Amino acid sequence: MHYLLKLFPEITIKSRSVRRHMTRCLAGNVRIILRRLDERVRVKDTWDALHVTLPEALPDSLAREMGERLTRIPGIHEVLAIREVPFSDLADIADRVVPPWQQAIAGRRFRVSAKRRGEHAFSSEDIERLVGRRLLEACPDARVDLTRPEVDVSVEVVHQQLRLIEARWPGLGGYPLGLQGQALSLISGGFDSPVAAWRMMRRGIKTHFLFFNLGGPAHEAGVREVTHHLWQRYGSSHRVNFIAVPFEGVVAEILRSVPDGVMGVVLKRMMVRAASRIGQRARIPALVTGDAIAQVSSQTLTNLALIDEASELPILRPLLTEDKQDIITQARRLDTARFAETMPEYCGVISRRPHTHARASQVEEAEAGFDFAVLEAAIEAAETTRSDRLLERRYAPGEVPTVDSPQALEQLGDTCVIDIRAPHEREAAPLWLPDVPRLEIPFYELQGRAADLPDDRRYLLYCDQGVMSRMQALHLHDRGLTHFGVYRTT
């Protein structure tokens, strides 16, 4: 079997030298990906397409897997499964073309599109007329429609070979990966950031990933999974890096020192500051985020401009004008939505009254009280993992003891409930527990204070939804503090 790979149309309009360079780069990417499945695969680049030759007696399942992978390689417009056979004359062409197309056009509108290369005693129009007539004789309930056909019967003749197209699939489009430089994409595991990273990859940009960890090992494990999925499906021709920055301390410092209204903007500024430093160190010239205008309070034009000022690298936002539902739809097509749907919201900096149009003077004043040594420590603690090793470190969350009613809580004895909500959340909805000891330790202070609590009793963490408390309990269990659990009201 052979695959014919049609080039992305924007490649075909480039100058001769650029087009040749892009085609060779695409051929190299295809070789890398397919030869992981079988070293005998051959890839030949020509002026207008790539030809992929599969080994003899290749199992059908492996051939299908190769075809599927080809549809996910940037730079390919269309993937055609073809078989080339010799022919004797025009009638022989019709004899070979009609049987495989007969069922496809039954009861439908069709047209015949012929392409021909070489010297022949007939024209492309002769092929179209004869094959069309023979198809109508074989399927009387079909009809010809040259303007809006439901089926386009393709016939290609290359010198003395008839190219039979047995199947065709749309490709990913875009440019060959690696041609347009590098970028560092901030990824959180939600709907937006994987789609933004994918759009950069599709345009030929070698995209590395930067993750700011706000939720411990459980959070990082989920983001590693979606990053590996994205890289393996759409960018595995190039190894890239996944960089994890522990940011819980930065969040705690923001909640300690920054006024409520600008917390979200300051958090994003701290992230892009760190990203800019890390990118410069790695000689990566641009950052990528999943921001979309007005999606949240920090993403107004005013606030985005303030965020950009904190970065020494340009920040690219491929989703800037997209609607949320369109982003989610794209995430479903990329199969990253299933990760986002189970990923808890870990952003702990949620202002009660966020400023949608913060002033530069407000931000400068807020950051004047911030201890930047905390940010420096987070940058220095960043950990880099190669993309093909992302899943080597498996995280298996243990069972966290959970109590879900006041009655069960009262029966335990030697138990203390820790309300880990932020102070303003506690004030808005006080936790009522008449006969159970209670502590108030905000989640952003808990990891630093937990080890100092007496270990002769059980501690149950409480938050409104139970998500943050479970994540914090898992984090403590990973540290060996297994006397912490979760209190969750229904």
Side-chain angles (χ1 to χ4, degrees), residues 252 256 440-450:
R256 183 195 67 79
E440 294 178 349
I441 303 177
F443 69 92
Y444 49 85
E445 295 180 3
L446 180 65
Q447 296 296 322
R449 295 173 56 181

Side-chain angles (χ1 to χ4, degrees), residues 196-423:
W198 173 81
R199 290 197 177 183
M200 302 304 290
M201 293 161 68
R202 183 182 176 275
R203 296 301 288 184
I205 296 172
K206 183 178 178 181
T207 304
H208 303 269
F209 299 90
L210 179 61
F211 163 60
F212 291 99
N213 192 342
L214 307 179
H219 189 192
E220 182 172 336
V223 178
R224 278 173 173 258
E225 284 186 3
V226 68
T227 302
H228 183 267
H229 168 84
L230 196 63
W231 168 78
Q232 186 178 57
R233 284 179 68 88
Y234 303 105
S236 63
S237 58
H238 291 68
R239 289 196 180 103
V240 296
N241 289 326
F242 173 88
I243 305 165
V245 183
F247 232 55
E248 290 171 307
V250 176
V251 170
E253 177 62 15
I254 289 173
L255 289 163
R256 183 195 67 79
S257 64
V258 173
D260 177 80
V262 293
M263 283 182 177
V265 172
V266 171
L267 174 63
K268 292 293 183 66
R269 282 170 60 89
M270 295 300 169
M271 286 180 171
V272 301
R273 271 195 185 96
S276 178
R277 291 267 300 280
I278 292 168
Q280 288 176 314
R281 187 183 300 168
R283 298 185 178 180
I284 299 173
L287 306 180
V288 180
T289 74
D291 295 328
I293 291 176
Q295 195 174 111
V296 295
S297 60
S298 64
Q299 294 176 12
T300 63
L301 282 179
T302 301
N303 288 347
L304 289 175
L306 289 172
I307 292 166
D308 283 3
E309 289 175 359
S311 174
E312 296 183 29
L313 296 180
I315 301 176
L316 309 179
R317 296 182 171 94
L319 305 183
L320 193 63
T321 61
E322 293 293 321
D323 296 334
K324 184 67 175 184
Q325 190 53 54
D326 292 338
I327 296 171
I328 293 173
T329 299
Q330 183 71 74
R332 297 198 194 288
R333 293 197 192 102
L334 300 177
D335 198 29
T336 58
R338 60 188 172 94
F339 298 96
E341 288 163 349
T342 59
M343 186 76 66
E345 177 56 66
Y346 287 105
C347 183
V349 179
I350 303 174
S351 302
R352 283 174 291 174
R353 293 179 296 276
H355 296 339
T356 56
H357 296 84
R359 296 192 303 273
S361 59
Q362 291 175 310
V363 173
E364 290 172 6
E365 183 179 348
E367 291 185 351
F370 183 89
D371 183 0
F372 279 88
V374 177
L375 182 65
E376 294 294 328
I379 295 172
E380 291 306 312
E383 182 182 55
T384 300
T385 305
R386 218 169 64 182
S387 53
D388 58 325
R389 295 180 176 174
L390 276 170
L391 301 186
E392 288 183 1
R393 181 197 300 172
R394 290 287 184 175
Y395 176 76
E399 290 296 322
V400 177
T402 301
V403 177
D404 57 10
S405 72
Q407 295 77 14
L409 186 61
E410 292 173 5
Q411 295 171 5
L412 289 175
D414 292 329
T415 299
C416 177
V417 171
I418 303 178
D419 191 335
I420 66 169
R421 295 175 296 172

Side-chain angles (χ1 to χ4, degrees), residues 37-102:
L37 297 175
D38 194 308
E39 280 287 340
R40 299 171 295 168
V41 170
R42 295 291 176 263
V43 181
K44 180 181 179 182
D45 58 290
T46 61
W47 177 245
D48 59 352
L50 301 185
H51 296 260
V52 177
T53 304
L54 306 187
E56 296 288 339
L58 191 71
D60 290 343
S61 59
L62 193 55
R64 285 194 299 271
E65 171 66 16
M66 289 184 179
E68 186 178 341
R69 291 195 183 192
L70 289 170
T71 65
R72 302 196 299 262
I73 297 176
I76 298 174
H77 176 65
E78 190 175 35
V79 179
L80 307 177
I82 64 171
R83 183 162 52 91
E84 293 186 344
V85 296
F87 67 92
S88 56
D89 54 22
L90 185 57
D92 190 23
I93 292 176
D95 290 340
R96 293 179 180 275
V97 171
V98 169
W101 285 99
Q102 187 172 337

